[in-house]
Amino acid sequence: MGNSLKAIIAFVPSDECQKYLLEDLEEMPVDKMVDLSGRQLRRLPLHICSFRELVKLYLSDNNLNHLPPELEQLQNLQILALDFNNFKALPLVVCTLKQLCILYLGNNKLCSLPLELRLLQNLKTLWIESNCLQCLPEVVCELSLLKTLHAGSNALRTLPAQLRCLQELRTIWLSGNLLSEFPPVLLDMPFLEVIDVDRNSIRFFPSLAHLPGLKLVIYDHNPCRNAPKVAKGVRRVGRWSEETPEPRKRSGAVIEITLDEKPSLPPATKPEPE
């Protein structure tokens, strides 16, 4: 079905048109996954909310700016992809999905996150890259199981001190922000394994040699006059480092150079919860 035809049908509320968009998806898929990425959807077909045992729902690359309250019925959902849409605010119904482990919100128009996000206490991976965030919402610091945070390509200038409370956090991606100094809070997070501050405005790097968990630091494309000191065996990517491979890209933002994390993949095969 052509994209222009999809876009027209997406406006039509009849059951027949909804089924056409779903391409005869009338029963719960055996793999408990629904992928409606790239369908030009302007609203979520309500029929999807009847799949009570659904585990993965991919709605990437559509024209969504709201979600129906019926989404709350999907209490077994573990992966929800809402990236590449038109959300200016995160629908609060998402915060009722307490089994979520992975939430993709990148490439929207978010300027903040609701306090209700703290209800997602099983969340391990959060993607908020390529939005309109001028500061990292402090509610993120209440997600106690968070292991991976992608916050690149925003307008972040600082990070909240409360971030040190996330003792499960292992990777933080901050490429393409407005950081003028290396975030001091990261110096108090010895459990971090990957720090990416590529493409910022950092002029000086403090020593990172005291961080025992660190495996990789990416600091390229900063106007710095020194390379960060690191412990033996830690990989550096940037000026004056021992090796400078080109970081992989996604929508202009630096993403995974993998260690234990899986790389970003097409929606149907994005990383799954551990």
Side-chain angles (χ1 to χ4, degrees):
M1 173 167 35
N3 284 342
S4 58
L5 181 57
K6 288 181 185 178
I8 294 172
I9 292 178
F11 278 112
V12 182
S14 72
D15 291 339
E16 290 75 12
C17 289
Q18 293 236 342
K19 290 181 180 179
Y20 190 43
L21 284 171
L22 292 174
E23 297 181 356
D24 297 323
L25 182 61
E26 297 182 5
E27 297 181 357
M28 161 70 72
V30 175
D31 59 4
K32 299 183 180 181
M33 179 187 78
V34 169
D35 185 357
L36 295 177
S37 301
R39 303 287 185 97
Q40 300 294 315
L41 296 176
R42 295 180 181 272
R43 60 191 182 90
L44 176 65
L46 290 180
H47 185 57
I48 296 299
C49 300
S50 67
F51 297 161
R52 302 291 183 94
E53 301 302 316
L54 200 65
V55 173
K56 309 170 192 175
L57 178 57
Y58 298 98
L59 300 172
S60 307
D61 194 18
N62 282 294
N63 294 306
L64 300 171
N65 57 28
H66 70 282
L67 294 172
E70 289 84 356
L71 189 72
E72 185 177 4
Q73 299 174 33
L74 303 182
Q75 285 300 312
N76 290 296
L77 208 60
Q78 295 181 29
I79 301 177
L80 177 61
L82 299 174
D83 47 335
F84 293 92
N85 277 286
N86 293 317
F87 291 103
K88 294 183 179 180
L90 178 64
L92 292 183
V93 67
V94 172
C95 301
T96 69
L97 305 174
K98 296 183 180 180
Q99 297 304 313
L100 279 183
C101 296
I102 300 178
L103 178 59
Y104 296 95
L105 300 175
N107 291 270
N108 279 286
K109 301 173 183 178
L110 301 174
C111 295
S112 63
L113 294 173
L115 293 177
E116 288 81 357
L117 189 73
R118 61 165 66 107
L119 299 175
L120 301 182
Q121 285 299 307
N122 285 307
L123 207 61
K124 294 182 179 179
T125 299
L126 177 62
W127 293 60
I128 50 176
E129 80 284 3
S130 299
N131 276 288
C132 305
L133 299 170
Q134 296 185 10
C135 59
L136 184 68
E138 293 186 4
V139 67
V140 172
C141 304
E142 299 185 45
L143 303 173
S144 60
L145 296 184
L146 199 65
K147 294 185 65 175
T148 302
L149 175 61
H150 291 259
S153 298
N154 280 286
L156 305 182
R157 296 180 182 275
T158 61
L159 297 180
Q162 297 93 318
L163 194 68
R164 63 169 59 91
C165 297
L166 296 182
Q167 297 192 14
E168 296 298 321
L169 194 65
R170 296 295 179 265
T171 61
I172 185 165
W173 307 88
L174 299 166
S175 172
N177 278 288
L178 301 176
L179 300 172
S180 59
E181 65 172 349
F182 186 83
V185 65
L186 300 185
L187 300 175
D188 296 329
M189 301 178 70
F191 32 80
L192 283 175
E193 297 179 359
V194 178
I195 298 174
D196 175 16
V197 289
D198 183 44
R199 300 183 185 279
N200 278 279
S201 300
I202 301 172
R203 294 185 175 277
F204 175 79
F205 280 93
S207 174
L208 307 179
H210 66 290
L211 300 179
L214 195 61
K215 298 178 180 178
L216 169 66
V217 56
I218 306 172
Y219 65 95
D220 210 8
H221 304 99
N222 279 281
C224 56
R225 298 180 180 179
N226 71 309
K229 293 181 179 180
V230 295
K232 184 177 180 180
V234 177
R235 184 182 178 192
R236 298 184 299 179
V237 177
R239 297 176 66 190
W240 307 294
S241 66
E242 294 78 16
E243 49 189 352
T244 55
E246 187 65 20
R248 296 175 64 188
K249 308 286 182 180
R250 179 188 181 193
S251 301
V254 173
I255 62 168
E256 271 112 331
I257 295 179
T258 59
L259 292 169
D260 295 326
E261 293 290 321
K262 298 179 182 179
S264 175
L265 299 171
T269 54
K270 283 180 177 176
E272 301 189 11
E274 298 178 355

